[in-house]
Amino acid sequence: MSTGLPLWAEVLTAVFAVLGAAFAAIGSFGLVRLPTFFHRIHAPTLGATIGVWCITLATIIYFSVQGDSLFLRAVLITLFVALTAPVTTIFLMRASLFRERQKGGAVPPAAPSARTPDQGKL
């Protein structure tokens, strides 16, 4: 069954769709694999944002070539995700820092590979 698209449009659509799925999967794996909340919060946000942009490009190419006019309605969805994902991340981070301060924890938490001042001296 042929979609009637030229080969270049099918290839570009496939590349952007696979890239979008790959970025989303990498962000999901980062959520599972990273050790603390403060490390985990960045991977899904970045993966979702970049993944949505790639899927949007695939959608624009596919429907623009198929319909013989520029299809930009998908950009609205992407802009919504691009604006809300970082804002949500900031709110989650602030809430987590607040709870950590309430428990008396080390805020901001030290990075796992952070050096102490004495380690740099010989």
Side-chain angles (χ1 to χ4, degrees):
M1 186 165 114
S2 175
T3 60
L5 292 178
L7 181 62
W8 66 268
E10 288 181 358
V11 169
L12 272 177
T13 300
V15 166
F16 282 122
V18 170
L19 274 175
F23 278 116
I26 290 169
S28 298
F29 293 141
L31 179 65
V32 173
R33 299 281 307 189
L34 293 172
T36 66
F37 173 79
F38 296 104
H39 293 105
R40 275 186 237 138
I41 193 73
H42 299 289
T45 302
L46 294 173
T49 303
I50 295 170
V52 165
W53 277 105
C54 288
I55 296 294
T56 300
L57 287 173
T59 303
I60 289 170
I61 292 168
Y62 181 82
F63 287 110
S64 293
V65 172
Q66 187 180 32
D68 294 330
S69 65
L70 192 57
F71 183 80
L72 292 178
R73 284 176 267 176
V75 174
L76 293 174
I77 297 168
T78 304
L79 290 176
F80 180 73
V81 170
L83 291 174
T84 58
V87 171
T88 304
T89 302
I90 289 169
F91 285 140
L92 286 170
M93 208 49 147
R94 285 184 175 210
S96 181
L97 285 171
F98 177 78
R99 292 187 74 187
E100 194 67 28
R101 285 187 189 115
Q102 294 294 322
K103 292 191 304 187
V107 177
S113 63
R115 299 168 114 188
T116 60
D118 295 333
Q119 288 177 332
K121 297 178 184 177
L122 293 174

